Amino acid sequence: MSYDSNICVNRGSTRTRVSVIILFNLLQFICLAVTVKAQQADTVNLRQMVAKVNRFAEEQAAEKLYLHTDKASYNSGDTLWFKAYVFNGAYLSSTSKSGIMYVEVANDSNRVVKRLMLPVYLGLSVGQLALEENELPQGWYTLRAYTNWMRNFNESAVYSKPFYISTIATKSWIVNLRTSMLEGTPKDRLEVQLKIDHLDKVPVGLRELQLSVINRDKTITRRKVQTDVDGQVALAFDLGTKTDGKALAVNIEDLRKGEGNRKIKIPLTVKKTTDIDLQFLPEGGKLVAGVTSKVAFKALSEEGLGIAVRGKIYDSRSRELAVFEASARGMGAFRITPEAGETYWARIEKPEGLSQKFLLPAVEAKGVTLSVSNPFQNDSCTVVVSASQDLIGASQRYYLMGEARGILCYASSFILNKPRATFQIDKKNFPSGIVRFTLAGSDKVVLSQRLLFADHHDDLALSMETSKTVYKQRDSVSLKVKAQDKTGAPVVGSFSLSVTDDGLSRPESGKSSIISHLLLTSDLKGYIEDPGYYFEGKKDPEKWKNLDLLLLTHGWASFDWTKAFQPTTLSKYPAEPEFTVKGRITNLVNKPVQGANVLLVSKKPFIYKDTMTNTSGNFTFRGINPGDSAAYFIQVKNKKGKNSAAEIEVETFVPPVFASSGPVRMPWFVNVDTIVMERARRQVQFQANVLRTGKNVLREVVVTAKKVVRDSKNLNGPGEADVIIGEKDLENQGRTTLLQLLEKNVKGFGVRTTKTGDRYFAINGNFLHLIIDGVNTEFFYSGAEPIYEFFKQYFDYYDASEIKGIEVMNSGGYQMRYSSAFLDPMVNPFTQSFLEITTRGGVGPFLKKTTGTFLYKPIAFTLPKKFYSPKYPPNSVSDMTDYRHTVYWAPNIITNQQGEAEISFYTSDNPGRYSIIIEGSDMNGKIGTGRSSITIEK
């Protein structure tokens, strides 16, 4: 870090003017320019402030994470493929903090239904999510990704993306939904009109249905109805005063026998004119008497989306002061000069019928405000600090700080001797992205904040070149990728590429990308509609203006630089550079035990580690990679090498609970357009063709009705067992022991005797192995007692009230998977049987709380699988069985020193258009995205 001071004296002024420029080498593009208009002593003080803030910012730098997924929507049984890019938020370089990240899927009730843990290497990770129908039924979901360190910062930094899983079949329903609100009656009445057709446009006529209207988890009304010959049905009901219009939905259940368990859920949109949410946000954060201010506003509909409004601003005497109008995204701004002691309110004229008043923020009698002008395609911005009359010339020192990505890139110290202080600032001092200007007093308390966007057009240029633009079915495609920086120089980087069939899968719309997420939405709060729209602002002055409105209305989530001047505290959520097993040993009176010998043992893979506790009784095991069904037995030994009576506390990952966000989203089959309808019919046509030809299809959808044990660790997959005893089977079994359940429900179960007279449990003569919550109980077998007695203690200990399900693996492939996971390779797998018991507690085979031992079962690392892509010989003939939604997925494209890479894949049997998207980074500050397409003909 170096300082170059330039002191200039203006002799025509009674005040010395000092300019200080502080240059930081922040990965070749971030520089810090400090302009100081103050005495020399304050120059030193400002330098110290900036150095302290940036030192703190670098130590506590936030992380940013982006997931590139193979497509936007999925079908049941698909695999969601993704690549993760984890950055140091200050420089957009690969993170050095986190070696572990988490990916989770939450349903439309914001309940997490799936969670993965992945290793991160040099800021990169690759993984996949199997979208099994029994775990993830048809509906909307939210994909989230984060590191433990990211939890210390605003929730908006967490990567979040909505996606839809659909189940499309010949008998799928298409629903036309209309809702209308009757207001002005004693109770608001919602009218719902439904028209239900099959996918082939045949009405679902004269069908008995059960309609249930729910508000969150509470049923408002439930009725049995019948559709008319045209498949239409109507429903009307009163809304209570506590009804949440954003949580209303109707469940439709088909009561006709032979139709399976057909149930669908549709959100209900309640369009009340009184339900518009209108917020007024003064530029800089507040209204100050006598100071003309810009006031931005955001209008949201009941669905949580921006809505066009028009209205007027009035004072307490109902005098009209201003007119405001918002675009379709619900944002706009107006100017006002507030008076001390006055209150201001708004009335909406459009949409019509809205009579309620909306109050503007209260007016402060004195204070300072901050305003920014960021002209279209201009290299500089203008920052204006305005003050109320009583603060002018008060010798009060202020600090204007310009921060980007948590690093101070501009700082100025000044005294207000005039009503306004104007600063002309070169935006080249900041990297591309959001810039925050913060005004603070001499006590460093933040007084005002304003955001702007700097765009230096320095994203990576990613181009894709194919030998031709039109290909045949099952044709070979060779794709050349080239990465360049803004100067045209080649870039070595890591990239991911997806190729999707537009005819079968909705193409990514460009609403979000690695650029829009890292440079815009990750620094803003709330739901951002179509973030890609604002990145067209570099070419369109109207969109540039709307980008500024977006920052005025959403830009209040930021890195708090004032924490640099507060006492240092440990972060609540520490970074995880690697997977560790940590814990604490205490004695019977809860005092830490120093120097205790702690053992960690795992049977498969075999791990044996030992360590000693420190003065605080803490221990740590490193160098462990948790695999599938990982279980670690931890034991404390005393100085004589015997089991200790000490207590073991192991740190376990407690997942965060994120707030649900975003507007109400409709299922794919509601009010569909012709493009979606055609895509669904084409998919069904392909499925029918496959059934007719009897050939395998290159997709992963297998829809079968199987009994599934919830939360089972079955190595064969959900429902893959010879015998399954589920929760419903166990409902009325009370205190029936596990032994009695097996004797009653598992044919061939019993006790056998060896030639030497030793007894053992068996199924059809096969030696029985007991797995509880994915943990092999034989891991704890010492051999000191007969194996029969060892197993019997478990069979007698558990009863039906404690068990979710029992699965028996007694044949063929079911045996093989378990034998390879738990037994010696020399053991004949076909003479072994396995019981997988899923308990309600899910903690594994613990019979009682014991001291000195602990079984730790972490989340297993999800390791990447290879995307299957077929290879066809020349002149291969299409038989219409290859219909891949994701035609190709390449997560690990590395460009060479010339910035080039080449990949190849084969087209499928479906003619049409393919969309190609590539995204990635050099993991050293430069990011980029590129799009292309090719056409496939018969």
Side-chain angles (χ1 to χ4, degrees):
M1 191 179 300
S2 64
Y3 297 88
D4 294 328
S5 297
N6 222 347
I7 301 177
C8 304
V9 179
N10 186 340
R11 299 183 185 274
S13 171
T14 58
R15 198 152 45 97
T16 302
R17 300 176 182 268
V18 182
S19 294
V20 178
I21 298 178
I22 303 176
L23 300 177
F24 281 82
N25 180 19
L26 301 181
L27 294 180
Q28 302 177 354
F29 67 82
I30 298 180
C31 84
L32 170 61
V34 179
T35 303
V36 182
K37 298 179 180 180
Q39 300 297 329
Q40 186 63 36
D42 194 65
T43 302
V44 175
N45 181 45
L46 189 59
R47 286 177 177 174
Q48 293 172 345
M49 281 180 57
V50 170
K52 190 169 186 176
V53 169
N54 282 347
R55 188 162 50 247
F56 174 82
E58 291 186 24
E59 292 171 355
Q60 301 295 316
E63 289 178 324
K64 290 194 174 186
L65 192 156
Y66 177 75
L67 288 190
H68 179 194
T69 58
D70 62 312
K71 54 186 177 180
S73 58
Y74 298 84
N75 290 334
S76 294
D78 277 354
T79 295
L80 186 157
W81 302 90
F82 63 85
K83 181 174 182 179
Y85 299 85
V86 191
F87 298 95
N88 175 310
Y91 313 132
L92 296 188
S93 57
S94 58
T95 181
S96 60
K97 280 187 168 67
S98 295
I100 297 175
M101 62 171 286
Y102 303 90
V103 175
E104 64 185 34
V105 176
N107 63 15
D108 58 0
S109 300
N110 201 35
R111 183 175 68 86
V112 175
V113 292
K114 203 156 191 173
R115 181 177 289 112
L116 307 179
M117 181 173 72
L118 298 100
V120 177
Y121 181 67
L122 297 178
L124 302 171
S125 190
V126 175
Q128 61 284 319
L129 274 161
L131 307 179
E132 301 294 344
E133 187 176 12
N134 53 70
E135 289 185 310
L136 302 163
Q138 178 170 262
W140 276 104
Y141 294 87
T142 299
L143 178 68
R144 297 192 188 103
Y146 54 92
T147 65
N148 202 49
W149 179 253
M150 290 172 68
R151 297 169 65 186
N152 293 302
F153 303 89
N154 194 285
E155 191 173 310
S156 62
V158 172
Y159 177 83
S160 178
K161 174 183 179 178
F163 70 98
Y164 192 81
I165 300 176
S166 57
T167 303
I168 302 176
T170 306
K171 292 187 177 182
S172 291
W173 284 356
I174 301 298
V175 179
N176 186 279
L177 169 71
R178 295 180 182 274
T179 61
S180 58
M181 177 67 65
L182 293 178
E183 299 179 71
T185 56
K187 288 186 178 181
D188 291 334
R189 190 168 182 80
L190 184 65
E191 294 185 341
V192 181
Q193 294 179 319
L194 298 165
K195 186 178 186 309
I196 307 174
D197 296 316
H198 288 294
L199 194 59
D200 58 5
K201 294 186 178 182
V202 175
V204 181
L206 304 178
R207 182 70 59 89
E208 187 179 13
L209 308 173
Q210 180 164 283
L211 303 184
S212 302
V213 179
I214 58 173
N215 180 35
R216 296 198 184 277
D217 296 325
K218 183 179 179 181
T219 300
I220 296 177
T221 182
R222 180 181 289 116
R223 301 176 193 174
K224 288 185 178 180
V225 298
Q226 188 179 57
T227 59
D228 64 17
V229 291
D230 294 320
Q232 299 185 69
V233 65
L235 176 68
F237 57 94
D238 294 331
L239 293 177
T241 55
K242 295 184 179 180
T243 301
D244 183 354
K246 295 181 180 179
L248 272 178
V250 57
N251 285 334
I252 306 175
E253 183 177 357
D254 190 350
L255 298 180
R256 177 181 287 188
K257 294 181 179 180
E259 293 296 322
N261 188 24
R262 188 198 297 275
K263 293 181 182 179
I264 58 175
K265 179 180 178 181
I266 304 175
L268 294 178
T269 55
V270 182
K271 295 184 178 179
K272 289 185 182 180
T273 56
T274 57
D275 281 337
I276 288 178
D277 178 18
L278 180 60
Q279 296 183 21
F280 293 95
L281 303 154
E283 183 177 22
K286 57 188 175 182
L287 292 174
V288 176
V291 179
T292 301
S293 297
K294 178 189 287 187
V295 179
F297 62 90
K298 180 72 179 277
L300 293 175
S301 67
E302 177 67 20
E303 295 96 323
L305 297 172
I307 184 172
V309 296
R310 184 177 65 237
K312 294 179 179 180
I313 303 297
Y314 301 90
D315 64 12
S316 60
R317 288 167 283 182
S318 296
R319 293 182 300 177
E320 181 184 321
L321 301 179
V323 176
F324 64 91
E325 185 168 8
S327 64
R329 287 178 171 79
M331 296 181 293
F334 57 89
R335 291 190 173 275
I336 187 173
T337 305
E339 298 177 9
E342 185 61 271
T343 58
Y344 300 92
W345 57 279
R347 173 174 289 155
I348 292 180
E349 297 178 342
K350 178 187 176 182
E352 295 76 8
L354 191 64
S355 59
Q356 78 179 95
K357 295 180 179 180
F358 297 90
L359 287 176
L360 271 66
V363 179
E364 296 188 10
K366 64 178 182 178
V368 291
T369 65
L370 187 65
S371 64
V372 173
S373 174
N374 187 21
F376 176 62
Q377 292 185 340
N378 200 308
D379 291 335
S380 64
C381 63
T382 303
V383 179
V384 177
V385 178
S386 304
S388 56
Q389 192 64 38
D390 54 345
L391 294 180
I392 299 172
S395 298
Q396 168 73 38
R397 185 161 296 281
Y398 297 95
Y399 297 102
L400 177 64
M401 302 293 190
E403 167 257 316
R405 303 181 189 171
I407 300 292
L408 286 183
C409 304
Y410 173 91
S412 177
S413 170
F414 62 96
I415 295 174
L416 276 171
N417 289 328
K418 296 180 180 181
R420 293 160 58 97
T422 302
F423 302 84
Q424 198 74 20
I425 302 171
D426 192 338
K427 289 188 290 186
K428 291 180 181 177
N429 292 325
F430 309 96
S432 288
I434 288 179
V435 178
R436 293 181 180 84
F437 283 105
T438 302
L439 181 68
S442 57
D443 56 1
K444 303 180 182 66
V445 173
V446 174
L447 302 172
S448 188
Q449 189 179 78
R450 173 67 155 92
L451 276 61
L452 63 80
F453 194 84
D455 192 344
H456 303 308
H457 313 287
D458 53 358
D459 305 327
L460 289 180
L462 302 180
S463 60
M464 291 171 283
E465 180 184 343
T466 56
S467 57
K468 50 188 177 180
T469 57
V470 178
Y471 290 85
K472 297 294 184 180
Q473 297 159 300
R474 301 194 176 189
D475 204 350
S476 176
V477 179
S478 179
L479 183 68
K480 293 182 179 180
V481 174
K482 190 164 189 176
Q484 297 172 302
D485 64 16
K486 66 179 296 186
T487 68
V491 172
V492 177
S494 179
F495 303 95
S496 44
L497 178 140
S498 67
V499 183
T500 55
D501 186 333
D502 293 357
L504 297 173
S505 179
R506 178 171 63 85
E508 288 276 14
S509 61
K511 290 184 177 181
S512 182
S513 68
I514 190 171
I515 300 173
S516 65
H517 178 74
L518 295 177
L519 301 188
L520 184 67
T521 56
S522 60
D523 284 322
L524 300 178
K525 71 174 183 179
Y527 176 73
I528 311 299
E529 297 178 53
D530 192 5
Y533 163 88
Y534 300 99
F535 274 82
E536 299 171 12
K538 62 182 73 175
K539 303 175 183 177
D540 187 326
E542 184 65 23
K543 292 178 180 178
W544 183 258
K545 174 185 173 183
N546 289 336
L547 172 58
D548 196 54
L549 288 174
L550 178 75
L551 300 183
L552 282 165
T553 53
H554 287 261
W556 303 103
S558 68
F559 172 80
D560 186 2
W561 59 269
T562 62
K563 289 181 179 179
F565 306 103
Q566 300 170 6
T568 303
T569 57
L570 292 175
S571 298
K572 184 177 180 180
Y573 302 103
E576 297 176 314
E578 62 177 326
F579 177 80
T580 58
V581 178
K582 295 182 178 180
R584 186 168 179 259
I585 306 298
T586 56
N587 58 23
L588 296 179
V589 292
N590 204 33
K591 298 292 184 181
V593 178
Q594 179 183 358
N597 185 23
V598 186
L599 304 178
L600 180 144
V601 182
S602 171
K603 198 165 186 178
K604 191 163 187 178
F606 178 76
I607 298 174
Y608 183 94
K609 290 178 176 284
D610 67 337
T611 189
M612 304 289 286
T613 56
N614 62 16
T615 55
S616 301
N618 297 323
F619 65 88
T620 302
F621 291 102
R622 304 181 187 279
I624 300 172
N625 291 312
D628 289 339
S629 304
Y632 305 109
F633 183 69
I634 301 170
Q635 191 171 31
V636 184
K637 298 285 187 179
N638 60 24
K639 293 181 179 180
K640 295 182 180 181
K642 295 184 179 181
N643 290 350
S644 171
E647 296 283 347
I648 303 175
E649 300 172 13
V650 175
E651 291 183 18
T652 57
F653 176 72
V654 179
V657 178
F658 296 112
S660 118
S661 61
V664 176
R665 298 180 177 93
M666 283 292 175
W668 75 271
F669 52 82
V670 177
N671 299 338
V672 299
D673 57 32
T674 54
I675 295 176
V676 173
M677 181 76 81
E678 179 59 31
R679 190 176 290 129
R681 287 176 182 158
R682 186 174 298 185
Q683 181 170 325
V684 169
Q685 180 182 351
F686 272 115
Q687 292 172 343
N689 183 66
V690 171
L691 290 174
R692 186 179 67 253
T693 60
K695 295 185 178 181
N696 292 326
V697 61
L698 295 177
R699 290 188 63 241
E700 303 166 78
V701 178
V702 180
V703 181
T704 54
K706 290 186 178 181
K707 187 184 293 186
V708 172
V709 175
R710 189 163 49 93
D711 300 323
S712 168
K713 300 298 189 296
N714 189 335
L715 299 181
N716 298 301
E720 299 295 333
D722 293 300
V723 178
I724 299 177
I725 304 170
E727 284 186 90
K728 287 189 176 181
D729 303 314
L730 299 168
E731 277 181 356
N732 301 315
Q733 298 298 316
R735 292 292 181 180
T736 304
T737 67
L738 175 57
L739 180 61
Q740 293 168 332
L741 289 169
L742 295 173
E743 290 173 337
K744 179 181 178 181
N745 295 283
V746 180
K747 187 177 181 180
F749 172 80
V751 179
R752 299 290 186 269
T753 305
T754 67
K755 294 179 179 179
T756 60
D758 296 325
R759 292 189 299 169
Y760 64 96
F761 287 98
I763 298 178
N764 295 332
N766 289 344
F767 186 90
L768 182 64
H769 302 273
L770 178 61
I771 316 297
I772 300 179
D773 296 325
V775 178
N776 186 4
T777 57
E778 292 165 57
F779 181 83
F780 306 100
Y781 179 58
S782 64
E785 59 185 326
I787 191 68
Y788 168 81
E789 296 294 339
F790 174 77
F791 280 138
K792 191 171 186 301
Q793 66 178 333
Y794 289 102
F795 290 144
D796 291 339
Y797 180 80
Y798 289 101
D799 61 45
S801 66
E802 301 171 293
I803 299 172
K804 280 186 181 179
I806 301 169
E807 294 164 284
V808 179
M809 274 60 68
N810 194 52
S811 65
Y814 294 152
Q815 297 168 308
M816 291 291 292
R817 186 67 62 88
Y818 275 81
S819 291
S820 62
F822 295 118
L823 302 183
D824 188 284
M826 300 303 293
V827 174
N828 182 359
F830 302 109
T831 61
Q832 316 296 314
S833 293
F834 298 86
L835 278 177
E836 179 74 61
I837 310 297
T838 303
T839 68
R840 296 191 182 279
V843 297
F846 268 100
L847 303 182
K848 60 182 178 180
K849 184 177 180 181
T850 58
T851 57
T853 61
F854 190 93
L855 180 68
Y856 177 48
K857 294 173 54 183
I859 306 174
F861 271 156
T862 297
L863 300 178
K865 295 182 179 179
K866 185 175 176 58
F867 178 85
Y868 174 71
S869 179
K871 294 182 179 180
Y872 291 117
N875 303 318
S876 178
V877 179
S878 166
D879 61 5
M880 300 308 293
T881 58
D882 177 2
Y883 71 111
R884 288 164 276 155
H885 292 211
T886 299
V887 178
Y888 191 68
W889 168 248
N892 292 312
I893 300 175
I894 308 296
T895 51
N896 58 23
Q897 294 296 324
Q898 288 72 46
E900 298 174 343
E902 188 169 347
I903 60 172
S904 60
F905 60 90
Y906 286 84
T907 62
S908 69
D909 288 341
N910 187 32
R913 181 179 182 270
Y914 288 176
S915 289
I916 308 174
I917 299 176
I918 185 170
E919 296 194 287
S921 170
D922 67 349
M923 304 308 292
N924 202 29
K926 299 183 181 72
I927 55 176
T929 184
R931 296 172 183 273
S932 185
S933 65
I934 57 175
T935 300
I936 289 79
E937 294 181 346
K938 287 186 177 180

